[in-house]
Amino acid sequence: MRLAPVLAVGLGIGGLLAGAVPAVAKPVVPPTSSALTWGPCPGEQKELVEAGAECAHLTVPLDYSGPGGRTLRIAVSRVKAKDRAHRRGILLSNPGGPGGAGLATTVGLRATLKKVADQYDLIGFDPRFLGGSTPVRCDPAGTPEPPRTTTSPRLDFEDGVRRSRSTALRCARHDGNAALLPHASSRNVARDMDAIRAALGERKLSYYGVSYGADLGAVYTQMFPRRADRIVVDSSTDPDATQYELFRRAGRPLEEGLDEWAAWTARHADTYRFGRTGPEVRATVQKLLDGAERRPVSIAGTRLGAPLLRLFLRQFVQHQEDDAALARTVRALADAAAGHDVRPNPELAAMLDFLNSPDVADSMTGGAVFMCGDAGWPAGGWPRDPRTYWRNMERSRGDQPVFGPLVNDMTAPCAFWPSTPREPAVRIGNDVPVLMLQARRDNNVPYDGALALHRKLRGSRLVTADIRSHGVFGRGAEGRTAVPCADRAVTEYLGGGALPAADVACPAPGGRREARPAGGRDGGRR
């Protein structure tokens, strides 16, 4: 996911919604015991402390259908509007995942929103069961088995199935989880958001969400349309696809992204020595993966099999600015596979440090809780039979040799998950005004999915950028190339302006063309 580490949340893909159309939810009226008592933020939340934020916990029902029963605590942060004369209300956000804690996320938008941020009370929150909110814990993963010295694609797959079954079992047997897990849903996170709104005494809320956070914004517009003020969703997904379908659909865009990278690397053949054509560069990658499917690559004391190498490749190929980092990483891995003594480049070293940390297995719990427990996001659809994954992986190798085995695999432990959702899925279909952003060459949540959601959100306008990226708004603040046209659209809209009169296609960063209409409601469909 864009803001939550991909390695920590599976593949970080956004997903969304399928099933019966619900009635519009009633605005949440929190119990009298849920008043917010503000105080200092935790010391480890340095960004919030530096921003002068205050923090509190909001008490909400575990089950909104029985509000008099068990309760949870939701961690909330606030930076009050500095421009009180032009205050517009409250602005919430979600950083994606699923599994991303978001207490400081809204504060991070200030760098791009600039003066507009001063017009809002900036409200951050950790979704239920994550971060500083009431957590879900699973039994410890224990000491992992040492990696194999020799392997095969089938053995790698069976190892992954065992890990998935173990994760599900650890979460099932932990004390108290049977009562909690069925309530890990985007419906309930949206209800918690509305409870925050109500506790703050606000009639409406504004919102920015990216990836899973974008899909959560769509859920909120469906459940609480009259409470939605200015909603911005960045990098969203097809509302009618199952989660497993969404993973699988990323395969071809990922291969196309790798083609782009290979062409770039070929133009820098003297530096990286992979060949002077894109096919030659790709052949180096394929040779590396084919070898790792027999004998994992040993580097800096860590053995890396083909599934991990594919995950590393996916992490880097998402953003065009990471082409050099990916080339350095592949160079180091190829040299290590050839038996050379290699010092990992900084990007690879950071990934190895994460893999070798004692908390790596437990860090995936938050993503699994929502990925497997939510009928509204993700939209279910995980096959129960492991043989289905294996067949899809093998079939994909013909036209998706690098990423097909990854996106068709049992990425999440949902086939073995111990709970089932308590509610049907949310189905999107409304005319709430929404500003949508999407990169045309997003290979995490592909462009066609955003077009599908755009058609369902009939009041939306779509701003597209012809870049390879996951996330469009605020790229400059992340050290990437900004898309000024998109940043301006968000800032003007949140600052009180109208939605664009039509969909907008932004020029590529660095280009000279002005933003132009994108060609109707399909946003300039390919």
Side-chain angles (χ1 to χ4, degrees):
M1 263 311 7
R2 186 188 183 199
L3 301 182
V6 163
L7 291 174
V9 292
L11 298 181
I13 195 171
L16 189 74
L17 328 166
V21 179
V24 173
K26 294 181 179 180
V28 172
V29 179
T32 56
S33 61
S34 64
L36 289 165
T37 301
W38 298 101
C41 292
E44 63 269 19
Q45 293 282 352
K46 294 181 180 179
E47 189 174 6
L48 289 173
V49 173
E50 292 173 359
E54 51 191 353
C55 287
H57 280 92
L58 175 67
T59 300
V60 301
L62 170 67
D63 182 354
Y64 278 88
S65 68
R70 185 171 177 178
T71 59
L72 305 173
R73 282 163 35 104
I74 304 298
V76 184
S77 68
R78 177 174 69 178
V79 175
K80 289 185 177 181
K82 296 180 180 179
D83 186 354
R84 306 301 293 181
H86 300 95
R87 182 181 180 274
R88 297 201 52 82
I90 58 173
L91 176 65
L92 280 70
S93 68
N94 182 279
L103 201 62
T105 301
T106 316
V107 171
L109 303 178
R110 295 181 304 169
T112 308
L113 289 177
K114 297 184 171 63
K115 292 183 179 179
V116 169
D118 294 340
Q119 299 174 11
Y120 286 92
D121 286 358
L122 304 177
I123 308 299
F125 73 102
D126 286 341
R128 56 173 52 205
F129 307 137
L130 302 174
S133 296
T134 300
V136 161
R137 294 188 175 90
C138 300
D139 285 353
T143 304
E145 296 181 6
R148 298 175 182 273
T149 55
T150 60
T151 189
S152 70
R154 182 70 192 191
L155 286 174
D156 287 341
F157 171 71
E158 291 173 353
D159 287 345
V161 172
R162 279 194 291 273
R163 285 193 295 271
S164 292
R165 185 179 283 111
S166 173
T167 298
L169 180 61
R170 291 190 294 108
C171 292
R173 66 190 178 197
H174 190 80
D175 184 45
N177 279 359
L180 298 177
L181 292 177
H183 301 282
S185 71
S186 294
R187 279 181 180 268
N188 281 331
V189 176
R191 291 177 178 122
D192 294 343
M193 289 168 55
D194 204 57
I196 294 170
R197 174 201 60 76
L200 292 170
E202 299 287 336
R203 189 173 64 88
K204 292 186 175 185
L205 64 79
S206 294
Y207 176 83
Y208 170 83
V210 61
S211 198
Y212 164 72
D215 301 339
L216 178 61
V219 172
Y220 188 85
T221 68
Q222 189 66 33
M223 294 181 65
F224 302 100
R226 290 183 290 277
R227 299 298 178 179
D229 189 3
R230 293 175 180 266
I231 307 297
V232 181
V233 298
D234 187 342
S235 307
S236 48
T237 58
D238 184 344
D240 291 327
T242 69
Q243 177 62 11
Y244 185 52
E245 287 171 344
L246 293 171
F247 270 82
R248 299 182 69 196
R249 290 179 188 179
R252 187 163 288 106
L254 282 164
E255 298 285 345
E256 293 170 354
L258 193 68
D259 285 339
E260 287 186 29
W261 167 80
W264 180 92
T265 304
R267 294 194 295 272
H268 299 82
D270 292 340
T271 300
Y272 300 111
R273 310 184 313 281
F274 293 142
R276 297 190 177 277
T277 68
E280 289 176 340
V281 174
R282 281 200 62 130
T284 300
V285 173
Q286 197 61 54
K287 180 181 178 181
L288 174 66
L289 291 172
D290 291 344
E293 287 185 330
R294 299 187 299 273
R295 185 178 297 276
V297 177
S298 181
I299 184 168
T302 301
R303 288 199 293 271
L304 303 172
L308 275 175
L309 295 184
R310 288 186 164 94
L311 189 56
F312 286 8
L313 292 171
R314 178 168 190 169
Q315 175 79 344
F316 286 120
V317 83
Q318 290 183 83
H319 296 282
Q320 56 197 39
E321 292 89 352
D322 290 342
D323 283 350
L326 177 54
R328 289 191 293 269
T329 298
V330 173
R331 180 74 272 163
L333 292 168
D335 289 346
H340 301 302
D341 186 15
V342 175
R343 181 178 180 179
N345 53 293
E347 300 87 357
L348 178 56
M351 287 188 160
L352 295 176
D353 287 344
F354 176 76
L355 285 175
N356 292 317
S357 67
D359 301 324
V360 62
D362 295 328
S363 68
M364 300 184 185
T365 299
V369 163
F370 280 92
M371 198 172 289
C372 302
D374 195 345
W377 192 101
W382 292 96
R384 290 287 181 178
D385 187 348
R387 291 174 295 183
T388 301
Y389 299 92
W390 175 250
R391 285 194 299 267
N392 290 339
M393 292 167 65
E394 290 299 285
R395 289 169 181 166
S396 72
R397 288 177 180 269
D399 64 344
Q400 299 171 27
V402 172
F403 293 108
L406 177 67
V407 299
N408 288 277
D409 200 356
M410 187 182 288
T411 304
C414 305
F416 310 112
W417 201 243
S419 68
T420 56
R422 292 286 299 273
E423 298 182 273
V426 178
R427 191 173 182 87
I428 296 299
N430 64 63
D431 60 359
V432 175
V434 173
L435 182 63
M436 298 183 63
L437 309 176
Q438 189 75 22
R440 289 291 296 266
R441 306 200 306 279
D442 191 330
N443 52 49
N444 194 327
V445 292
Y447 178 66
D448 288 347
L451 294 183
L453 180 61
H454 184 30
R455 289 189 289 269
K456 301 288 186 180
L457 294 173
R458 299 185 302 277
S460 63
R461 292 291 181 269
L462 177 62
V463 176
T464 59
D466 192 12
I467 54 176
R468 174 162 43 96
S469 172
H470 183 51
V472 176
F473 176 71
R475 299 181 88 249
E478 297 177 350
R480 305 187 187 279
T481 304
V483 183
C485 153
D487 290 348
R488 186 166 57 250
V490 174
T491 301
E492 290 177 353
Y493 180 56
L494 290 178
L499 282 174
D503 294 342
V504 174
C506 292
R512 297 181 179 179
R513 294 179 296 127
E514 294 297 320
R516 55 182 174 81
R521 284 206 47 79
D522 281 352
R525 183 198 299 267
R526 289 175 293 183

